Amino acid sequence: MQNNKRQVLGITSIAAGVMFMLSASQAFAVTTLKLSHNQNRDHAVHKAMTEFANEVKEKTNGELRIRIYSDSQLGNQRESIELMQNGALDIAKSNAAELEAFSPAYSIFNLPYLFRDKAHYQQVINSDIGKEILDSSQNVGFIGLTYYDAGARSFYAKKPIRTPEDLNGLKIRVQPSPTAIAMVKGLKGNPTPLAYGELYTALQQGVVDAAENNITSFTLSRHGEVTKFFSLDEHTMIPDVLLISNKSLNKLTTAQQEIVKKAALNSSKYMMQLWEKSEQEQRTKAEKQGVEFIVVDKTLFQNAVNPMYDDIARTQPELFEMVNRVRKVE
Ligand code: GCU
């Protein structure tokens, strides 16, 4: 009896050992990719990327997972891209303005009033041009997987901006994009590049007088607490972009790479559904906090920035060729 028990115990412990080894080998098969971004968890883009992570996990039977770090926990947008280039981060969500410094092709999205309307912007994103831009950063260590809709960007300030003249002499926070800087200079403001995470304090303390963004980001970053006038001039439509380092993509199997790319596209479609609703909700929230949304004559702003295109034609022929390609997209 005693012997039997020992035998059973022995067998049980061998079985336990085998089970342990099996689960250990399964654990080894799991790859986790880190994703960094600078929005909070209530932002629509965080929800879209959560869908992306869920789809990747499900379609790879849990072998590939994406862990999302929100709120710039792993660094601001520029730092996250640099971490990706150094191999310390796999995926980052950035936007086309920040990316201009890494790959000039992204400048196209930062040009004011280039897109006729939202439909034109979406056609461009889905065209060969959109794809070319996503691939354009391959030589600097990463590629774009997909775009996420981020609406239109408008100016907001401590005083009402009704015409371009109202921007005269204001210190205006911009993203570190040469095109955004040129645009604000063209409008006779003083462009002040700052990271997104530093903007609330900069507005509060008067380091800058104004900034520009979409309504969702404006409200969720609480800028409406310190800036009460949002002018609907809608000068740009700058998409967010989901990036993956070449190194991280190449270490995945071909099947996993396909799953990641498909899931990214699906999450981008989901984001389009989320976006409009999110802007509506965040606008209502801002209005309740006393923010005034100002309807402006957009043609005044458009005319004021038009000379930028003559400058580009003269000094940046490659970009100007791209501008013409974009204009031709129906
Ligand atoms: C938007 C965009 C962010 C970006 C921010 C900014 O909110 O989605 O990616 O960082 O603008 O103005 O910095």
Side-chain angles (χ1 to χ4, degrees):
M1 182 66 195
Q2 197 58 23
N3 270 353
N4 265 355
K5 203 172 171 191
R6 265 200 212 111
Q7 264 175 358
V8 171
L9 277 177
I11 289 166
T12 314
S13 62
I14 289 168
V18 170
M19 299 258 291
F20 174 76
M21 277 157 63
L22 271 178
S23 63
S25 74
Q26 264 170 359
F28 273 119
V30 173
T31 305
T32 302
L33 303 180
K34 288 194 215 127
L35 185 166
S36 162
H37 74 92
N38 66 353
Q39 300 289 5
N40 68 42
R41 301 172 80 85
D42 292 330
H43 200 288
V45 78
H46 181 85
K47 294 179 188 151
M49 289 187 293
T50 304
E51 279 294 300
F52 165 63
N54 289 345
E55 183 174 332
V56 167
K57 183 174 168 197
E58 190 195 310
K59 297 267 166 64
T60 60
N61 299 319
E63 278 182 11
L64 183 60
R65 298 177 190 204
I66 308 222
R67 175 133 196 234
I68 305 179
Y69 296 83
S70 63
D71 302 275
S72 303
Q73 288 169 67
L74 300 184
N76 64 32
Q77 289 195 146
R78 183 182 47 75
E79 289 160 348
S80 298
I81 296 177
E82 285 167 359
L83 284 176
M84 238 180 18
Q85 289 180 307
N86 297 335
L89 178 69
D90 307 290
I91 304 178
K93 194 284 300 166
S94 186
N95 82 337
E98 190 85 43
L99 280 160
E100 195 180 327
F102 292 87
S103 178
Y106 279 98
S107 351
I108 206 78
F109 289 114
N110 304 320
L111 287 167
Y113 302 108
L114 175 60
F115 302 111
R116 291 185 293 275
D117 49 29
K118 186 115 193 190
H120 179 216
Y121 157 85
Q122 263 155 5
Q123 296 284 4
V124 172
I125 279 191
N126 295 325
S127 72
D128 291 350
I129 304 175
K131 178 80 178 97
E132 263 170 59
I133 298 174
L134 290 178
D135 290 339
S136 69
S137 57
Q138 181 125 38
N139 59 343
V140 290
F142 57 88
I143 58 156
L145 286 169
T146 194
Y147 297 102
Y148 286 125
D149 194 2
R153 291 175 81 100
S154 294
F155 290 108
Y156 51 94
K158 300 198 175 185
K159 62 162 206 179
I161 306 296
R162 299 185 197 278
T163 67
E165 286 70 39
D166 293 329
L167 292 164
N168 219 312
L170 292 192
K171 278 176 280 166
I172 304 171
R173 179 271 176 170
V174 288
Q175 286 199 259
S177 136
T179 309
I181 293 172
M183 176 185 75
V184 167
K185 277 191 184 150
L187 292 165
K188 314 240 171 6
N190 291 327
T192 311
L194 276 180
Y196 188 49
E198 291 164 28
L199 183 52
Y200 179 91
T201 316
L203 284 165
Q204 190 185 39
Q205 298 183 348
V207 174
V208 292
D209 311 301
E212 46 86 60
N213 215 321
N214 57 62
I215 298 173
T216 298
S217 300
F218 164 76
T219 309
L220 286 173
S221 52
R222 304 185 3 253
H223 295 172
E225 289 175 6
V226 286
T227 331
K228 295 295 182 196
F229 300 96
F230 192 104
S231 301
L232 295 159
D233 64 280
E234 303 190 324
H235 48 267
T236 44
M237 291 183 214
I238 302 185
D240 279 1
V241 189
L242 189 66
L243 310 162
I244 186 163
S245 80
N246 296 342
K247 196 172 155 209
S248 303
L249 189 62
N250 291 339
K251 77 178 179 201
L252 303 181
T253 64
T254 314
Q256 287 174 337
Q257 290 182 6
E258 287 313 311
I259 289 171
V260 166
K261 288 181 182 169
K262 186 84 200 301
L265 284 181
N266 288 341
S267 67
S268 164
K269 287 184 196 138
Y270 179 54
M271 180 71 177
M272 274 162 61
Q273 293 171 28
L274 292 179
W275 186 258
E276 229 161 275
K277 190 164 166 265
S278 126
E279 271 207 323
Q280 284 295 337
E281 280 171 12
Q282 299 309 326
R283 178 172 172 163
T284 308
K285 218 198 262 177
E287 279 167 342
K288 283 195 187 133
Q289 289 169 351
V291 173
E292 186 186 334
F293 284 84
I294 303 169
V295 177
V296 298
D297 180 355
K298 284 198 225 173
T299 53
L300 298 178
F301 289 83
Q302 193 167 357
N303 293 341
V305 294
N306 244 343
M308 278 180 80
Y309 289 93
D310 301 331
D311 287 349
I312 293 170
R314 249 197 355 264
T315 59
Q316 291 173 269
E318 254 179 61
L319 180 58
F320 196 63
E321 198 192 309
M322 186 74 117
V323 165
N324 286 331
R325 274 178 71 197
V326 166
R327 282 181 172 153
K328 280 191 202 130
V329 173
E330 293 296 331

